[in-house]
Amino acid sequence: MSHSSSAAHEALVVGSGASGLTIALLLAKTGRKVTLIEQQASIGGYLRRFTRKGLRFDTGFHFTAGFDDVMPQILQVLDLERDVIPSPMHSALYLHESGRRLEPPATGLSELAEYLADIFPDDAPAIRRYYQLEQQIVAETPLFNLHNTEQMLAPQLSSYDAITLQEYFAEQHFHSSELPAVLGIMAFCHGTPPQEIPLGQHCRISCGLNRHLSRVEHGGDAFLNGFHRELKRHGVTIRTNTTIDKMLSFTADQRCREVLLSTGETLATDTIFFAVHPECYLPLFPEALLTPSTRRRFGKYQDTCSFFAIYGRLDHEQPPKQELLQYISSNDLNAVLGPGANAYGTGMVTSSERDAQGKKHTTLTAFRNMHLDEFKARCGITSLQQRHSQQYLDTKQQITAEIVADILRIYPQYAQALTVLDSATPLTFLRYSPPRGSAYGVRIKMSESRLAGRLPVNNCFALGHHAIMPGILGSILGAFLTFRLAAGEEQYNAVVANAR
């Protein structure tokens, strides 16, 4: 066993998704020594991309909100504004039960409300009230302005967080049975069923995506290229294929000062930031610190769904517009997002990519929500090591065919144009988001505290995309929140001020 110097590294970041990369960089900007460890062979988590037939595809980062709000400030602080270039994206919805396709304008919430009011005239007043409420909730609980040091970093809870989205819809007595699915469709982008998510939390997420939906040119590569450069510039040590095996040394006030790494080395640290699922770090904590209340708090959380995804190329005479189409097999979003039902949703993203020779192509990525346990039961396997079994391969082929059939139901013109280049199962996503390959972390339920902030080991902090909202924006906001809490106002303000 080799040993590190006791003063070699002050801050240890575990996990290299968007939140881990962000807090590692923020800490390094204060002059601290930082080590970032990642259990996989390369950093990035869901930001990572892969190549098939010369084309780059995104693993999990397909679109985001925030470019009309806080994202430009974030990129400025992180020195990524030259790397991350947004590209506007159209949004559409397909309701399988009725065969109705909705293509709202991408010009704002007021225009969206009027578009839907024309389609559902009997519910026009309720539609307008709902989108006015979305804007009101966001106005009363803004995300944050990085340069306003008086403003709280995280959205503050309001009375609208004491009622679920489903309870609000029930009070509206809609004439159309489709309307709860239409107005609540962005639940597919946070993964928590309407019967569980607070109305206020859903509206904050939905409003941002409805207001300004964007892809990023070059997808996750844009973020990762920038993070690689900045982490190197600020001296962050990156160690892949590495995890914490054990916490070794504790002070009287329950602070961990030394850890044993999976490489056999020990590492001295004064602060540890966990940008991973709680089930990956709680077993490291001393039993004495895991009180019954702590166990109850962490034990009641449930993960959101995972995905089965296919990746294809479209060879079509008229390249389609850049679009996110959300397909739902049922108007019951609780059934779509919850386990144990036959209902599902599929996001279909069309975008443009250039190959190595610079030729422009249209790609189509379709990701169907699916829970890991359900997939394993369907194909009769228990681990990733069994992914070469014939039943696993047959199940992959069958689900791929089902997704293609849904695509061609909506886009019949792609019958001769679509070539499927690869597919990924929930077991594939397990490698990017252990322990269950969840797409959006844990569900955001009413009355449940968020998994962020200081942990039972006093110099350990949790951060992640479930802390504020899902997706890359939520991951990064969670990292800023935790950095501000751990580093203090003076260092936080200094980092932000240096970016002006």
Side-chain angles (χ1 to χ4, degrees):
M1 180 184 294
S2 63
H3 293 265
S4 63
S5 167
S6 61
H9 299 291
E10 295 183 355
L12 174 62
V13 178
V14 182
S16 69
S19 58
L21 293 169
T22 298
I23 201 161
L25 183 52
L26 291 173
L27 290 165
K29 282 176 172 284
T30 69
R32 296 186 68 178
K33 294 180 179 179
V34 180
T35 291
L36 172 66
I37 64 174
E38 166 58 49
Q39 70 170 357
Q40 296 295 320
S42 56
I43 66 171
Y46 277 145
L47 288 174
R48 288 161 58 184
R49 304 184 99 199
F50 62 94
T51 302
R52 292 294 181 271
K53 299 294 184 181
L55 296 176
R56 298 288 281 168
F57 289 92
D58 286 292
T59 300
F61 171 55
H62 305 290
F63 53 84
T64 187
F67 279 101
D68 64 334
D69 192 349
V70 71
M71 185 67 88
Q73 295 181 45
I74 287 172
L75 297 176
Q76 185 182 36
V77 172
L78 299 177
D79 293 311
L80 303 182
E81 67 269 29
R82 293 171 298 161
D83 304 280
V84 180
I85 309 300
S87 179
M89 195 174 197
H90 180 72
S91 179
L93 170 63
Y94 187 91
L95 306 172
H96 175 79
E97 288 188 11
S98 62
R100 188 193 297 271
R101 178 171 176 168
L102 302 174
E103 298 193 46
T107 51
L109 290 182
S110 297
E111 292 78 6
L112 172 59
E114 293 309 311
Y115 169 82
L116 293 175
D118 287 342
I119 295 173
F120 304 99
D122 292 342
D123 289 307
I127 292 169
R128 295 187 180 103
R129 282 197 305 271
Y130 172 73
Y131 285 110
Q132 289 168 0
L133 179 62
E134 274 200 357
Q135 295 179 84
Q136 176 189 338
I137 289 172
V138 171
E140 291 177 356
T141 57
L143 280 177
F144 67 99
N145 179 342
L146 294 180
H147 302 300
N148 180 0
T149 57
E150 302 300 318
Q151 184 173 319
M152 295 297 292
L153 185 62
Q156 300 304 294
L157 300 183
S158 71
S159 59
Y160 299 111
D161 291 287
I163 180 176
T164 66
L165 177 63
Q166 180 166 301
E167 289 169 336
Y168 171 81
F169 284 160
E171 293 175 354
Q172 305 311 303
H173 303 290
F174 296 129
H175 291 84
S176 170
S177 61
E178 293 181 324
L179 211 49
V182 173
L183 298 183
I185 189 59
M186 289 307 177
F188 191 60
C189 296
H190 57 62
T192 303
Q195 64 188 4
E196 296 176 355
I197 192 164
L199 170 64
Q201 190 73 344
H202 173 83
C203 286
R204 295 181 188 103
I205 297 165
S206 178
C207 184
L209 291 167
N210 280 322
R211 199 168 59 190
H212 198 282
L213 184 68
S214 301
R215 271 187 64 76
V216 168
E217 293 183 11
H218 308 297
D221 283 342
F223 277 96
L224 286 181
N225 290 340
F227 272 121
H228 271 291
R229 182 190 65 246
E230 294 304 312
L231 292 172
K232 181 178 180 180
R233 185 162 73 95
H234 289 278
V236 174
T237 299
I238 299 174
R239 303 186 63 165
T240 55
N241 296 311
T242 305
T243 60
I244 296 178
D245 270 359
K246 188 177 181 180
M247 291 181 167
L248 293 176
S249 174
F250 287 86
T251 61
D253 60 349
Q254 300 301 335
R255 295 173 181 269
C256 177
R257 292 306 188 194
E258 189 176 39
V259 298
L260 174 66
L261 300 178
S262 57
T263 59
E265 301 164 276
T266 59
L267 187 67
T269 178
D270 68 358
T271 320
I272 305 174
F273 298 88
F274 289 101
V276 292
H277 194 283
E279 290 183 26
C280 297
Y281 58 76
L282 284 181
L284 297 170
F285 293 176
E287 288 286 328
L289 297 183
L290 297 177
T291 63
S293 61
T294 299
R295 292 181 188 277
R296 282 195 300 271
R297 178 194 172 199
F298 284 92
K300 66 183 178 180
Y301 290 107
Q302 291 180 288
D303 283 354
T304 55
C305 62
S306 186
F307 283 125
F308 187 108
I310 68 169
Y311 308 91
R313 183 185 67 237
L314 285 172
D315 299 307
H316 202 262
E317 292 181 358
Q318 295 182 333
K321 56 190 170 186
Q322 191 159 257
E323 178 179 73
L324 164 66
L325 185 141
Q326 297 183 85
Y327 167 98
I328 52 174
S329 67
S330 167
N331 293 337
D332 182 355
L333 291 178
N334 292 311
V336 167
L337 293 170
N342 291 324
Y344 61 88
T346 303
M348 304 176 188
V349 173
T350 52
S351 62
S352 296
E353 293 287 338
R354 293 187 182 276
D355 60 23
Q357 288 71 45
K359 183 180 179 181
K360 197 171 185 179
H361 298 267
T362 300
T363 61
L364 191 153
T365 300
F367 40 95
R368 174 171 161 178
N369 72 307
M370 186 175 295
H371 290 266
L372 176 63
D373 289 342
E374 293 175 322
F375 175 77
K376 289 196 294 187
R378 180 168 175 176
C379 60
I381 68 171
T382 58
S383 70
L384 189 61
Q385 285 67 40
Q386 296 172 287
R387 66 187 185 277
H388 299 300
S389 71
Q390 192 58 48
Q391 189 172 354
Y392 176 81
L393 297 175
D394 290 345
T395 303
K396 275 189 73 174
Q397 187 174 21
Q398 181 184 359
I399 298 174
T400 296
E402 293 171 2
I403 295 175
V404 169
D406 287 339
I407 293 171
L408 298 183
R409 181 179 293 110
I410 304 165
Y411 302 104
Q413 67 272 29
Y414 296 164
Q416 304 301 320
L418 175 62
T419 301
V420 176
L421 302 179
D422 207 347
S423 62
T425 77
L427 281 173
T428 310
F429 290 108
L430 181 61
R431 298 202 300 263
Y432 298 92
S433 181
R436 278 175 286 280
S438 60
Y440 307 112
V442 299
R443 297 187 199 173
I444 309 169
K445 295 185 181 182
M446 193 170 65
S447 79
E448 289 189 359
S449 58
R450 295 171 183 141
L451 288 172
R454 196 179 298 274
L455 290 165
V457 177
N458 285 331
N459 63 329
C460 293
F461 295 83
L463 61 156
H465 58 268
H466 47 264
I468 296 179
M469 61 177 60
I472 190 171
L473 182 59
S475 297
I476 293 176
L477 288 177
F480 269 83
L481 169 63
T482 307
F483 169 69
R484 186 173 181 177
L485 173 66
E489 293 296 311
E490 183 177 350
Q491 287 194 326
Y492 171 83
N493 293 336
V495 169
V496 171
N498 286 338
R500 293 182 182 179

